[in-house]
Amino acid sequence: MESKTVLLAALLMGFVCADHAPAAEQTAASDLAGTSWHLVKFEGSDDTTLTPDDTMRYAIAFGSDGTVSVRIDCNQGRGTWKSAGPNQLEFGPLALTRAMCPPAPLTDRLTRDWQYVRSYILKDGHLFISLMVDGGIYEFKPVSRQEQAAGHVKGTATYRERMTLPASALFEAVLEDVSKADAAAEVIARTRIERPGNPPIGFEIIYEPGKIEQSHHYSVRARITEGERLVFTTVEHYPVLTRGNGNEVSLLLSHVAGSPAALTGVVPVGLASNLCR
């Protein structure tokens, strides 16, 4: 509680001193631009403390162009950030994918608190972001050099059928080296999302850049299973990374014939959305 009070006092002091020593203060543009962070914990003014099971599932990256990229559990998002003065910070509206992540207090809290961020402070190498009206503090740690060096393939996956997936569904996306036509593809990296929810399903595959050769061909494939049954899968090649291809991809999955029975309790997507309200 004492450390929390000290941090709040420091944040307030940043506002008080802003007009007296602007030359000595670093602006948020130089403090935050080009930096990436993982969430450590949230501390509320009512002594509520929330910590993520996996810090890598909650991340924020400040672009030097005023954009911000975030990961909130199984969803990816983009928005904007600005600073009107030293230690001041505000975020614009956040465009977030709508995959149905497993219930987690931090997931709902961070999404809700996004619009109420008003200030920040850097202390002992960590970033502390404060909400307005003593709403609480989010503590972040810097992304390590090893993590920064990791490559990323981001994408969305969808299918044409108007149906929702059961809670037991599993989404998997795989980055593969498909250079050899007469040999099986080599798996470079993969990601899995339990209970992916309604499409579009946002995903990110993290790979080691050292495994990528510019003369090779790389592709992303994906599938959705329910238990041992294959329900949806990609049937086309979706090239990425080399030969002029980027690191973002949009996948269209096809329904596997003979698998409707796997989708127990299927209801139209529109109806499912209404039922969840």
Side-chain angles (χ1 to χ4, degrees), residues 110-192:
L110 183 54
T111 304
R112 184 175 65 250
D113 287 343
W114 185 260
Q115 61 183 318
Y116 301 118
V117 170
R118 289 296 180 270
S119 58
Y120 79 98
I121 190 171
L122 295 171
K123 180 178 175 62
D124 298 328
H126 281 210
L127 169 66
F128 297 85
I129 293 178
S130 180
L131 305 177
M132 62 187 301
V133 196
D134 196 20
I137 298 174
Y138 286 91
E139 179 182 351
F140 293 82
K141 66 179 181 180
V143 175
S144 68
R145 290 183 179 181
Q146 181 179 1
E147 292 167 337
Q148 289 179 336
H152 302 258
V153 171
K154 296 181 179 180
T156 57
T158 189
Y159 48 80
R160 292 193 178 97
E161 287 74 11
R162 293 185 58 81
M163 57 178 63
T164 190
L165 298 169
S168 56
L170 174 68
F171 171 84
E172 179 182 49
V174 182
L175 173 63
E176 297 178 323
D177 184 336
V178 293
S179 303
K180 299 178 181 180
D182 57 347
E186 177 189 355
V187 174
I188 303 299
R190 70 177 74 229
T191 188
R192 293 186 174 94

Side-chain angles (χ1 to χ4, degrees), residues 44-55:
S45 57
D46 59 354
D47 291 332
T48 297
T49 300
L50 301 175
T51 57
D53 294 331
D54 181 357
T55 61

Side-chain angles (χ1 to χ4, degrees), residues 57-60 68-80 92-101 106-115 154-156 196 198-204:
R57 295 183 69 84
Y58 298 87
I60 182 169
V68 62
S69 300
V70 301
R71 175 176 180 177
I72 300 179
D73 206 344
C74 66
N75 283 297
Q76 308 289 333
R78 290 185 65 82
T80 59
L94 179 64
L96 196 66
T97 57
R98 297 184 177 181
M100 293 180 64
C101 311
L106 262 174
T107 299
D108 296 334
R109 178 106 202 190
L110 183 54
T111 304
R112 184 175 65 250
D113 287 343
W114 185 260
Q115 61 183 318
K154 296 181 179 180
T156 57
N198 297 332
I201 301 169
F203 65 90
E204 180 179 26

